Amino acid sequence: MENIRNFSIIAHIDHGKSTLADRFLQLTGVVGDHEFHEQMLDTMDIERERGITIKSQTVALPYRSGNGKDYVLNLIDTPGHADFSYEVSRALVSCEGALLVIDACQGIQAQTLANFYMAFEQDLHVIPVINKIDLPSADVDRVKAQIEKDLGLDSDSAVAISAKEGTGISELLEAIVAEIPPPKGDANAPLKALIFDSHWDPYRGTIVHVRIFDGEVKPSDMIRLWSTGATYKVEETGVFRMQRQPRKLLKAGEVGYVIAGIKTVRDTRIGDTMTLDSRRCAKPLAGFKHVKPVVFSSFYPISSEDYDELAEALEKLQLNDASLTFEKDHSVALGHGFRCGFLGLLHLEVVQERLEREFGLSLVLTAPSVQYLLVLRDGSEVMIDNPAKYPDPMTIRETREPIIRASIILPEQYLGNVISLCLERRGVQKNMNYMDSTRVELIFDLPLAEVLFDFYDRLKSVSKGYASFDYDFLEYRSTQLAKVDILVAGEKVDALSMLVHRDRAQQRARRACERLKKEIPRQLFKVPIQGAIGGKIISRETISPLRKDVTAKCYGGDITRKKKLLEKQKEGKKRMKQVGSVSIPQSAFLAVLKADDEE
């Protein structure tokens, strides 16, 4: 174990985490120059395009130190977005140390702080790494001062590098070997292993990523998963290079994989403890929890013939992504679809893009919504995420909505704009800290429903891109909730119903009506579009009818001839209105949902 180092790279989005991992792979010879490409550990197209890590990877790096010793450096990569913070915390538990990458131009940002505290809580040895020193606007001294003041770390231990140019990477590898402690553990104790990730292989089933704390595991062992009590027979154990490398056994201190004929990724839960069925460990590792989705949206195929393909595609995605949940859903307007649950808005976007790209599906999404807690008059509590399942308001005693605690770090000159934005989104300011002469940290309690719609984009635009944002779920708090229905020609369109705060209901209903008026083609009769809460109409737009000029053939004569023809037309319109129905085009649904995004 003396020659093993387990470490993670943590950073704010876009501070150069994936580029640094690329340099490690090249310098340790895991990847040759002929097979190298940028962002080696980001395997999905979406990850490369957006420059974010969504699915974390693990790789064992062989390294010969300057002192002549051979080491194995286990790099456990972490996802880079607040949506996936639980996965980051489990990856950190598997390590003894972490590299905290900080951009030499941007300095310490919200996620840098959040990730540092997470590593600090796990008692990891943190090595600050100042990246992008090759840029003309890099200010290493300023960042070193921030490391001292904000993180309380010794800035002399910070390693200045340029991951892009490869500067300082060798010094960083030496620092990992010298400063990060080797793993501890008893190879003779009962097996205690942490599942920190898993992925799906079409030929072998679920491949479980584990860190062994005590004991050892080898093929033919019967393993037991603590949270489910399920038992499996181990088929193969090994370590990760860029491909899997089988080993005869994995023992305490090592990081690797276990294949045991597990059918789906859902059977393995991130953070769970793996032990031997015949010789169990005394208690599981702390910190395990079930990850619950927080954002919900219904997916409908544009063509109803694609329903089976959508079902198959979601099942395939779920094999690799256990946090995605879905159940059947039906809408009168859009037909059959699925109600899906996600960890956050980025997770939703990623799933939508993957369905459209990898499976060639065209989809309509309903407006994303959060889960509300309803306390009914009989004292029972229900969780509601779908407007269609909202009960009669007379049966509800109280509604509660999820609240998050947001940490926003920004330059002082944008303070007014950002506070105004948060207050506009029903935020409550909790704290304001001056981190230095130019940067401020704002702590706000915000309703999660208000953050869903374009909050991140608005934050970036009012702060010229300098504000950074991180959040944690706080609690459910009492709120005034209303279900807004949209009626077209008196008919309720269920797919456009939304759950909103009562103060926002009129504004959102008006916007939906305006959008629909532009998109629905004119009929031969007048079509009212209304937004309603229960029986009360709160907004209205009217599509004027197409009109045939029935009096064109009357050249002269008595006015009563014209009146007679107009009355006849009026009667016809009235009859038509009673039997006529309005078909709403697909573009109208998309326009209304887009209106929510562009609030």
Side-chain angles (χ1 to χ4, degrees):
M1 278 196 274
E2 275 302 307
N3 295 350
I4 297 174
R5 298 291 183 272
N6 299 323
F7 72 99
S8 227
I9 307 177
I10 50 179
H12 187 78
I13 298 168
D14 229 13
H15 281 202
K17 188 160 65 76
S18 296
T19 315
L20 177 57
D22 286 349
R23 292 298 87 79
F24 283 159
L25 293 172
Q26 280 184 302
L27 206 68
T28 53
V30 172
V31 179
D33 291 340
H34 62 288
E35 57 188 0
F36 176 76
H37 57 76
E38 294 291 321
Q39 290 172 268
M40 286 290 294
L41 293 182
D42 292 345
T43 48
M44 284 189 263
D45 292 343
I46 301 169
E47 291 182 310
R48 293 209 181 95
E49 284 168 23
R50 293 186 174 219
I52 50 174
T53 302
I54 296 161
K55 186 87 179 119
S56 61
Q57 304 287 335
T58 305
V59 62
L61 309 167
Y63 176 64
R64 174 159 283 185
S65 168
N67 60 17
K69 280 189 184 173
D70 285 325
Y71 290 91
V72 174
L73 310 180
N74 287 313
L75 162 58
I76 299 170
D77 194 18
T78 57
H81 196 276
D83 282 5
F84 307 109
S85 55
Y86 176 65
E87 281 92 327
V88 177
S89 76
R90 294 306 88 200
L92 292 180
V93 173
S94 312
C95 305
E96 277 73 40
L99 305 182
L100 184 66
V101 180
I102 304 163
D103 189 321
C105 311
Q106 305 275 6
I108 288 173
Q109 294 191 285
Q111 255 178 290
T112 319
L113 270 183
N115 286 331
F116 168 71
Y117 289 135
M118 217 185 273
F120 189 70
E121 278 168 25
Q122 307 294 356
D123 208 17
L124 301 189
H125 181 87
V126 178
I127 301 176
V129 178
I130 303 171
N131 189 20
K132 305 191 186 182
I133 57 169
D134 56 309
L135 295 179
S137 56
D139 188 345
V140 177
D141 294 333
R142 179 174 63 92
V143 176
K144 280 191 171 182
Q146 287 178 9
I147 289 169
E148 292 263 354
K149 189 170 185 299
D150 301 343
L151 307 180
L153 296 174
D154 180 8
S155 63
D156 295 337
S157 69
V159 184
I161 64 160
S162 164
K164 190 177 177 186
E165 307 275 325
T167 316
I169 305 295
S170 308
E171 290 84 344
L172 183 54
L173 284 167
E174 284 297 326
I176 291 168
V177 168
E179 294 182 35
I180 292 177
K184 296 184 180 74
D186 181 358
N188 300 316
L191 172 68
K192 186 190 274 188
L194 174 79
I195 298 174
F196 63 85
D197 203 357
S198 57
H199 74 271
W200 173 255
D201 182 284
Y203 304 106
R204 305 297 303 270
T206 300
I207 295 179
V208 186
H209 303 213
V210 291
R211 155 72 202 272
I212 313 287
F213 283 93
D214 289 324
E216 57 182 44
V217 62
K218 57 188 184 299
S220 80
D221 280 347
M222 284 298 287
I223 54 165
R224 184 183 186 87
L225 304 184
W226 201 282
S227 73
T228 59
T231 56
Y232 301 96
K233 188 175 182 181
V234 178
E235 296 168 11
E236 183 181 307
T237 56
V239 296
F240 294 101
R241 287 291 161 87
M242 281 314 284
Q243 277 77 36
R244 300 193 299 271
Q245 283 194 355
R247 291 274 174 88
K248 285 181 182 172
L249 60 89
L250 286 175
K251 57 183 188 294
E254 292 187 320
V255 173
Y257 67 88
V258 172
I259 300 175
I262 300 171
K263 294 285 184 289
T264 68
V265 173
R266 297 198 83 177
D267 296 338
T268 61
R269 300 208 168 111
I270 291 177
D272 200 0
T273 303
M274 179 191 286
T275 187
L276 290 179
D277 191 36
S278 56
R279 189 171 171 234
R280 297 178 201 172
C281 55
K283 59 175 197 258
L285 293 152
F288 170 69
K289 64 178 186 190
H290 292 282
V291 186
K292 290 195 175 76
V294 293
V295 175
F296 297 84
S297 176
S298 292
F299 283 26
Y300 298 97
I302 282 183
S303 163
S304 56
E305 289 145 28
D306 292 344
Y307 174 78
D308 291 336
E309 282 178 46
L310 174 60
E312 200 178 311
L314 282 168
E315 276 169 18
K316 282 182 182 169
L317 275 189
Q318 202 180 42
L319 289 174
N320 245 336
D321 184 354
S323 49
L324 167 68
T325 63
F326 63 90
E327 58 183 32
K328 288 180 181 175
D329 195 16
H330 177 72
S331 151
V332 177
L334 296 173
H336 291 284
F338 291 93
R339 186 79 180 165
C340 305
F342 307 92
L343 296 175
L345 223 51
L346 175 83
H347 190 201
L348 183 151
E349 282 176 35
V350 167
V351 170
Q352 182 196 351
E353 275 196 42
R354 288 188 70 185
L355 288 170
E356 288 175 352
R357 284 184 189 192
E358 295 173 25
F359 301 96
L361 293 164
S362 301
L363 301 170
V364 176
L365 277 68
T366 59
S369 108
V370 298
Q371 249 186 347
Y372 294 97
L373 178 70
L374 306 184
V375 182
L376 303 180
R377 293 214 179 273
D378 61 5
S380 60
E381 294 184 352
V382 287
M383 298 293 265
I384 291 287
D385 61 68
N386 191 342
K389 294 183 179 169
Y390 191 71
D392 179 356
M394 296 305 293
T395 64
I396 300 167
R397 185 194 302 161
E398 187 188 14
T399 51
R400 296 178 194 157
E401 64 179 344
I403 301 289
I404 57 167
R405 178 147 290 174
S407 158
I408 303 167
I409 294 177
L410 65 151
E412 189 189 25
Q413 66 260 41
Y414 305 115
L415 191 59
N417 295 351
V418 173
I419 289 177
S420 304
L421 172 67
C422 292
L423 293 174
E424 182 192 309
R425 297 301 173 98
R426 300 192 286 122
V428 178
Q429 189 175 334
K430 287 294 174 187
N431 208 343
M432 183 167 86
N433 309 316
Y434 274 84
M435 301 176 77
D436 54 37
S437 57
T438 58
R439 291 178 316 133
V440 185
E441 181 187 29
L442 279 177
I443 307 289
F444 260 90
D445 284 1
L446 285 158
L448 182 58
E450 297 287 339
V451 177
L452 279 190
F453 296 113
D454 77 334
F455 177 79
Y456 198 66
D457 296 341
R458 284 285 305 280
L459 179 68
K460 287 290 178 198
S461 61
V462 299
S463 66
K464 308 270 193 304
Y466 284 107
S468 61
F469 172 73
D470 191 78
Y471 68 86
D472 287 309
F473 173 75
L474 195 63
E475 62 186 0
Y476 277 90
R477 279 189 200 157
S478 190
T479 186
Q480 294 289 314
L481 194 64
K483 180 190 176 189
V484 175
D485 291 313
I486 303 295
L487 290 80
V488 175
E491 292 286 323
K492 210 180 275 186
V493 184
D494 58 347
L496 296 177
S497 296
M498 46 196 160
L499 294 173
V500 291
H501 190 267
R502 201 169 277 280
D503 296 350
R504 286 291 175 90
Q506 195 169 358
Q507 174 195 354
R508 293 279 290 280
R510 191 180 300 137
R511 182 172 283 117
C513 292
E514 285 166 3
R515 289 288 170 125
L516 282 172
K517 184 183 177 182
K518 286 181 191 165
E519 293 294 331
I520 295 175
R522 286 169 72 188
Q523 311 290 320
L524 288 168
F525 51 92
K526 189 159 65 172
V527 178
I529 301 168
Q530 297 161 312
I533 298 177
K536 184 184 174 189
I537 303 297
I538 55 171
S539 69
R540 174 177 171 134
E541 293 286 334
T542 307
I543 301 174
S544 52
L546 293 166
R547 183 170 171 273
K548 182 182 174 188
D549 188 0
V550 289
T551 58
K553 60 179 183 280
C554 297
Y555 285 109
D558 193 1
I559 187 74
T560 53
R561 286 180 64 200
K562 285 188 179 181
K563 278 189 175 171
K564 191 176 164 188
L565 288 168
L566 288 169
E567 283 298 321
K568 196 175 170 187
Q569 184 186 34
K570 197 170 167 187
E571 283 299 314
K573 295 260 185 203
K574 202 170 170 184
R575 263 202 317 277
M576 200 185 288
K577 191 174 179 182
Q578 284 167 355
V579 296
S581 65
V582 182
S583 62
I584 303 172
Q586 212 75 46
S587 59
F589 288 103
L590 298 171
V592 173
L593 302 179
K594 203 153 67 197
D596 287 332
D597 289 348
E598 292 167 3
E599 200 173 311

